[in-house]
């Protein structure tokens, strides 16, 4: 009967750990978060920093709009912010993080009207605003929970909301300071207007989308050619427009003073068009046998008059530098009430500001036969009238980029109305200088915001809605004079601080104003209140003062603003303008910009395309830490892609990282860092190599995070775990960890290196993978005695001795040889020569330099090749890839297989006794 083989497995030091292989993040992360909240970990982080007197790092949170669930753009933004704040805390900063919400504005109004069927114009203002407030706070609460689920830090009980009385009072203070410097005024101007939302809009609220517009050429008959134009038959000035609805407001035709204009004989009539555009006009209008009768300099046409085709009035030809020769006819239809350039040139010539359009986009009686029609109906009716009366020369359509409202997504118009403005021109140069003093990340952000501010002369800050902060102005009931001075603004500010902005609607003007207030013009004491509210960008743009200057833990200016790329025209700019106007400098030292989240094909996410990925859906599938890891995997300076396939790839990277830690923890089960560490100088050379790689990783990741290059961090950590550790070091280490004496120097050397790697790497990954890092920390030997949470530790500072360039160069030689050996082993395995690599004996034929480098290191080489024997032979070497390297010969290992360590050795099976079947090394350990 055959004797049963001895079972040596019980003599091995096999890994043991409670750290689970599967992350199961969707269930485990909430438990970890409860630990953080129950033990007030973030508060302890701040208290520790204050006790140590650490310098502060303030990231000021741009307030998301409180009108729905968060989307992946929010997840990207909030994760980036949290990574920065956590990293700065590890690096030794006091990092109070206060979240905020933008809670006023049109979308909430619209939602209330839709949900409750309210009529804004007939509702009680206070009741209507109450519904809006409840809606905003409800969704701010929803978003808060969803952001917390991402593992984001925050002083949540100190979050700021733009609807809170203390915030509103601070915002009135900013408005008042700007008014005192003469930057706030009311004027009649052509502004962006949304007929759907019935309000003025600022440039920051405009989006450009493709739009199909009418494209028409219209003949305006000349009334008086001033002796410059022919009189033998009628003369028309030909205009081209994509907005027929603006024709009722036409009050002039502009020509360029330096251009030449052709008088074209069309047979029965003449036509005037710009000479540089004549060929294109003839082609567009299909004129046959048209000849140029004469050419007239544009500046001489000034004062020629024409008769409006359907309004009957006579209007002048004027000069305008804004007229271009790119398209159209070079004769520009001018309606000062419906265009920015038209308004400017109209003011210059003293033209009336005619805007025959109501708030909701219908013609008034001033539009004559088209009164009562919507603008869309008007476009069609006007074209039909022109066609019937022979004034329409051609009609088609054009697809072009056109301004749309950022909220309702409908096309906007230009409409001349009386609005409140902030004069950017009054402090523009100072703002441009402030921009140059800010660090812009990426660098192109500086150019983008610089150009926007350089081209901006004013900011329309009034809105014709209810849900927002009232503009603190009064009007004399007797003479209409505006009343707004430091005393009246201060009275409003005090009122709002006590009662909130609803007080504007519950108190009469005389109750708000200081006693004995009189109209400066007529002396009346009867006033009415302004009905406009402030632009929501003024709300959020005041946060640097309302929050940074009022929250005791925070400081001004902020060290960092971090938002999406659209905020160069939004929050970055409104914050800059209010800050420079009042305090003379930018409210931030650095600004980081990230792109939008798009799908895997680079398309914007939208419900219509069915490609929307919701954060809660992703978290349920893969966990918040995988979402955060994805955030670091992308180059945020451009739009970032997300799809199920991309998430699967990132989840696989996470799995490798987790398995790396599990292996390390599993081999530290009997290691006490207080008593079992091996001094650095006594470590095995390969362990010192691993610590050199660790030192360089800490350097690389620190530099990457200091520069906000998160994708560099991601690849560095991944490569370290996947290549340096899993694919090499940990694989080589298994033999020493499992087989050698449990408390012997060889194993303790390996464990010392593993502990240092785990203790360091867990802190390196904590900003990105806080849940996983916390879980690792709770399983790491001695960690809980060191700190209650990994979050209460600091960024690793490894001994400089760990960085050993000579060692690194030496090991690069070993690893280059290993790559050649690995290739040869694969070929031998494929040929059936060996199975497991331990069945191999490797013979290396080396040239003289390599022989000198490797002589005497055969045993170490066998370990790093994971073979049983290595022999070095002097020779010429051979070709390894494109470089000269060793010539590798793979043979069957000498001796028999040790059943305990699986290595082959000649002494296995020699001698007598129960240990005879083991190799010499295993006999020494077991015996």
């Amino acid at each position: 009967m055959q004797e049963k083989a001895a079972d040596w497995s019980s003599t091995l030091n096999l890994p043991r750990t409670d750290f689970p292989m599967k992350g199961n993040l969707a269930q485990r992360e909430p438990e970890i978060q409860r630990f953080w909240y129950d033990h007030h970990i973030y508060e302890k982080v701040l208290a520790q920093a204050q006790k140590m007197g650490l310098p502060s790092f303030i990231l000021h949170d741009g307030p998301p709009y409180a009108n729905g669930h968060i989307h992946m753009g929010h997840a990207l933004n909030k994760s980036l912010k949290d990574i920065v704040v956590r990293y700065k805390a590890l690096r030794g900063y006091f990092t109070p993080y206060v979240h905020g919400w933008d809670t006023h504005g049109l979308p909430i109004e619209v939602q209330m009207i839709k949900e409750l069927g309210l009529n804004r114009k007939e509702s009680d203002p206070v009741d209507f605003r109450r519904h809006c407030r409840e809606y905003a706070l409800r969704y701010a609460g929803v978003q808060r929970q969803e952001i917390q689920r991402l593992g984001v830090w925050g002083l949540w009980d100190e979050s700021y909301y733009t609807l809170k009385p203390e915030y509103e009072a601070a915002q009135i203070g900013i408005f008042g300071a700007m008014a005192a410097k003469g930057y706030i005024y009311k004027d009649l101007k052509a502004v962006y207007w949304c007929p759907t939302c019935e309000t003025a809009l600022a440039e920051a609220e405009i989006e450009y989308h493709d739009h199909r517009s009418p494209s028409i050429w219209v003949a305006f008959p000349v009334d008086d050619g001033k002796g410059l134009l022919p009189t033998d038959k009628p003369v028309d000035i030909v205009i081209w427009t994509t907005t027929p609805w603006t024709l009722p407001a036409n009050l002039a035709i502009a020509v360029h003073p330096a251009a030449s204009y052709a008088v074209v004989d069309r047979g029965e009539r003449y036509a005037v068009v710009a000479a540089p555009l004549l060929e294109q006009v003839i082609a567009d209008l299909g004129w046959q046998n048209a000849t140029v009768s004469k050419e007239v300099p544009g500046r001489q046409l000034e004062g020629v008059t024409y008769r409006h085709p359907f309004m009957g009035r006579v209007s002048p030809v004027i000069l305008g530098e804004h007229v271009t020769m790119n398209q159209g006819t070079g004769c520009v239809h001018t309606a000062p009430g419906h265009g920015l350039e038209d308004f400017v040139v109209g003011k210059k010539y003293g033209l009336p500001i005619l805007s025959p359009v109501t708030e909701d986009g219908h013609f008034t009686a001033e539009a004559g036969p088209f009164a009562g029609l919507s603008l869309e109906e008007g476009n069609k009716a006007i074209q039909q009238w022109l066609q019937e009366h022979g004034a329409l020369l051609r009609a088609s359509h054009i697809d072009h980029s056109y301004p749309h409202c950022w909220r309702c997504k409908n096309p906007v118009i230009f409409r001349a109305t009386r609005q409140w403005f902030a004069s950017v021109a009054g402090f523009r140069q100072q703002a441009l200088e402030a921009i140059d003093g800010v660090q812009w990340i990426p660098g192109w952000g500086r150019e983008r915001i610089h150009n926007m501010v350089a081209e901006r002369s004013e900011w329309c800050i009034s809105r014709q809605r209810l849900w927002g902060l009232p503009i603190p102005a009064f009007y004399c009931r007797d003479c209409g004079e505006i009343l707004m001075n430091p005393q009246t603004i201060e009275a409003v500010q005090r009122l709002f601080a006590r009662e909130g902005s609803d007080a504007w609607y519950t108190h009469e003007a005389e109750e708000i104003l200081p006693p004995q207030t009189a109209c400066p013009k007529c002396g009346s004491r009867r006033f009415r209140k302004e009905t406009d509210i402030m632009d929501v960008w003024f709300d959020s743009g005041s946060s640097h003062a309302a929050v940074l200057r009022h929250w005791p833990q925070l400081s001004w200016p902020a060290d960092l603003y971090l938002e999406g790329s659209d905020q160069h025209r939004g929050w970055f700019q409104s914050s800059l303008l209010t800050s420079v106007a009042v305090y003379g400098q930018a409210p931030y030292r650095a600004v980081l910009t990230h792109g939008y989240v798009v799908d895997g094909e680079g398309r914007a996410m939208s419900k219509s395309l069915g490609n929307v990925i919701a954060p809660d859906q992703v978290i349920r599938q893969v966990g918040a830490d995988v979402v955060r890891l994805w955030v670091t995997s992308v180059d945020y300076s451009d739009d970032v892609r997300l799809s199920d396939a991309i998430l699967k790839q990132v989840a696989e990277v996470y799995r490798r990282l987790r398995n790396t830690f599990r292996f390390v923890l599993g081999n530290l089960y009997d290691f006490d860092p207080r008593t079992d560490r091996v001094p650095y100088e006594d470590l095995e050379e390969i362990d010192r190599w691993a610590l050199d790689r660790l030192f360089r990783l800490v350097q690389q990741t620190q530099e990457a995070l200091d520069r906000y290059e998160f994708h560099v961090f991601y690849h560095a950590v991944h490569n370290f775990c996947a290549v340096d550790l899993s694919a090499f070091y940990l694989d080589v280490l298994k033999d020493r960890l499992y087989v050698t004496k449990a408390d012997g120097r060889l194993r303790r050397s390996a464990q010392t290196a593993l502990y240092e790697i785990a203790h360091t790497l867990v802190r390196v990954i904590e900003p990105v993978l806080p849940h996983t890092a916390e879980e690792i920390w709770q399983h790491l030997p001695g960690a809980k005695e060191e700190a209650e949470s990994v979050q209460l530790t600091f960024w690793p500072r490894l001994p400089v001795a760990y960085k050993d360039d000579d060692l690194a160069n030496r090991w690069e030689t070993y690893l280059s040889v290993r790559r050649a050996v690995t290739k040869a082993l694969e070929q031998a395995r494929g040929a059936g020569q060996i199975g497991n690599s331990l069945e191999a004996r490797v013979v290396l034929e080396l040239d003289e330099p390599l022989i000198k480098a490797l002589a005497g290191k055969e045993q170490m080489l066998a370990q790093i090749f994971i073979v049983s024997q290595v022999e070095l032979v002097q020779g010429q070497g051979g070709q390894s890839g494109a470089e000269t390297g060793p010539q590798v010969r793979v043979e069957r290992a000498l001796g028999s297989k040790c059943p305990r360590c699986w290595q082959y050795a000649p002494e296995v099976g020699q001698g007598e006794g129960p240990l005879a079947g083991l190799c010499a090394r295993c006999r020494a350990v077991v015996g």
Side-chain angles (χ1 to χ4, degrees), residues 911-924:
E912 297 179 356
L915 304 183
L918 301 181
C919 67
R921 182 182 60 162
C922 287
R923 290 176 190 175

Side-chain angles (χ1 to χ4, degrees), residues 20-235:
M21 178 183 295
K22 289 188 176 181
N24 201 16
L25 298 179
Q27 286 72 41
R28 191 168 287 119
E29 286 172 343
E31 298 172 2
I32 294 170
Q33 290 175 7
R34 278 194 293 274
F35 165 74
W36 293 341
Y37 300 139
D38 291 346
H39 291 79
H40 309 287
I41 298 299
Y42 180 47
E43 290 76 6
K44 290 177 181 177
V45 170
L46 297 179
Q48 175 178 265
Q50 285 183 305
K51 184 177 180 180
M52 297 174 66
L54 299 179
S56 67
F57 180 90
I58 306 301
L59 186 154
H60 183 37
D61 185 41
Y65 200 71
N67 72 327
H69 294 271
I70 67 169
H71 50 66
M72 286 308 301
H74 291 118
L76 170 69
N77 178 261
K78 291 293 187 177
S79 296
L80 284 173
K81 289 175 179 175
D82 191 59
I83 290 167
V84 170
V85 173
R86 286 176 178 272
Y87 170 67
K88 291 296 182 180
L90 283 174
R91 293 281 284 129
Y93 288 92
F94 173 59
T95 55
Y97 184 17
V98 174
H99 293 262
W101 274 272
D102 197 354
T103 50
H104 286 141
L106 183 60
I108 292 172
E109 277 201 33
V110 171
Q111 193 62 33
M112 284 299 88
I113 292 169
K114 185 187 301 183
E115 281 189 11
L116 304 177
L118 300 176
N119 185 320
R120 172 176 62 91
K121 297 178 181 179
E122 296 179 2
S123 297
D124 173 71
V126 174
D127 187 56
F128 183 84
R129 286 167 58 88
R130 176 178 59 81
H131 288 299
C132 291
R133 179 182 299 103
E134 291 170 353
Y135 179 91
L137 290 175
R138 181 167 82 247
Y139 271 106
V142 168
Q143 291 184 3
R144 168 176 164 165
Q145 292 179 348
E146 293 171 336
I147 294 167
Q148 287 176 318
R149 180 61 186 86
L150 287 163
V152 174
W153 266 355
L155 291 169
W156 296 103
D157 293 339
E158 298 180 38
S159 300
Y160 74 91
Y161 305 85
T162 58
L163 57 73
K164 291 292 186 180
E166 61 271 21
Y167 189 103
E168 294 178 329
Q171 182 178 335
I172 291 292
I174 288 288
F175 180 91
M178 292 178 68
K181 293 185 177 185
Y183 296 147
I184 304 294
Y185 60 92
K186 190 170 189 179
D187 200 1
L188 173 64
K189 296 193 177 187
V191 296
Y192 288 110
W193 185 274
C194 178
T196 306
C197 300
E198 300 182 38
T199 185
L201 300 174
E203 293 176 16
E205 298 170 301
I206 297 300
E207 297 176 342
Y208 283 85
H209 302 294
D210 290 339
H211 182 67
R212 168 158 283 203
S213 297
S215 175
I216 66 171
W217 287 257
V218 182
F220 281 63
V222 169
D223 183 70
D224 184 351
K226 304 297 183 184
L228 292 170
L229 302 177
T231 57
D232 57 311
K233 51 188 173 185
V235 181

Side-chain angles (χ1 to χ4, degrees), residues 474-709:
F474 302 84
Y475 300 90
C476 176
R477 289 187 182 273
D478 293 322
C479 72
E481 180 75 2
I482 295 176
L483 175 68
M484 190 175 73
N485 57 47
Q487 293 73 35
T488 64
I489 291 175
E490 184 180 351
V492 175
Q493 186 177 13
R494 288 197 304 268
L495 176 67
F496 286 4
R498 291 193 311 269
E499 303 179 26
S501 59
D502 276 359
W504 190 255
Y505 302 93
T506 59
H507 292 269
E508 296 298 328
E510 290 74 16
E511 298 177 285
I512 300 173
L513 290 167
Q516 308 304 312
T517 299
C519 173
K521 184 176 181 181
C522 73
S524 172
R525 294 186 179 178
R526 300 188 326 119
F527 298 95
R528 62 179 177 86
K529 298 166 292 185
E530 172 63 79
T531 57
D532 287 356
I533 61 170
M534 285 192 213
D535 174 15
V536 290
W537 289 112
F538 203 103
D539 286 20
S540 59
S542 301
S543 65
H544 62 88
V547 180
L548 296 181
R549 286 177 169 266
H550 285 259
W551 266 245
Q553 310 97 317
L554 306 181
S555 57
W556 185 100
D559 292 287
L560 183 67
Y561 274 34
L562 191 163
E563 303 298 336
S565 55
D566 56 333
Q567 297 307 316
H568 287 101
R569 64 185 182 126
W571 189 57
F572 294 158
Q573 190 175 153
S574 62
S575 299
L576 174 78
L577 297 180
T578 55
S579 182
V580 171
V582 177
Y583 304 118
Q585 70 178 85
Y588 35 66
R589 294 188 176 95
V591 172
L592 186 149
T593 307
H594 62 78
Y596 293 97
V597 178
V598 296
D599 70 11
E601 299 176 20
R603 302 173 302 174
M605 290 189 179
S606 69
K607 292 180 181 178
S608 60
L609 290 176
N611 62 349
V612 174
I613 299 177
D616 64 330
Q617 167 193 341
V618 176
I619 290 171
R620 285 197 302 270
Q621 290 174 347
V622 298
D625 271 6
V626 173
V627 173
R628 296 171 67 105
L629 190 61
W630 162 74
V631 166
T632 63
S633 73
V634 297
D635 181 357
Y636 63 77
S637 63
D638 200 353
D639 288 347
V640 297
R641 298 192 177 202
L642 181 65
S643 65
D644 289 339
I646 291 171
L647 280 171
K648 188 176 181 180
Q649 292 171 0
V650 176
E652 180 61 23
V653 170
Y654 173 82
R655 187 188 65 81
R656 292 195 201 106
L657 297 180
R658 186 177 184 90
N659 285 346
T660 299
F661 275 105
R662 188 170 189 271
F663 178 90
V664 173
L665 293 172
N667 285 285
L668 292 175
Y669 66 89
D670 61 344
F671 181 79
D672 187 337
R674 295 168 298 184
T675 59
D676 297 337
R677 284 181 192 246
V678 174
Y680 175 76
E681 57 273 13
D682 294 335
L683 294 175
E684 289 291 289
E685 187 171 324
I686 190 174
D687 299 329
R688 285 188 279 117
W689 170 85
L691 295 182
D692 173 83
R693 297 300 299 160
L694 180 67
F695 187 96
R696 295 173 195 274
L697 172 73
V698 172
Q699 261 189 335
Q700 187 180 8
T701 52
Q702 180 177 318
E703 290 171 1
L705 293 178
D706 283 344
R707 296 193 301 266
Y708 304 108
E709 294 177 348

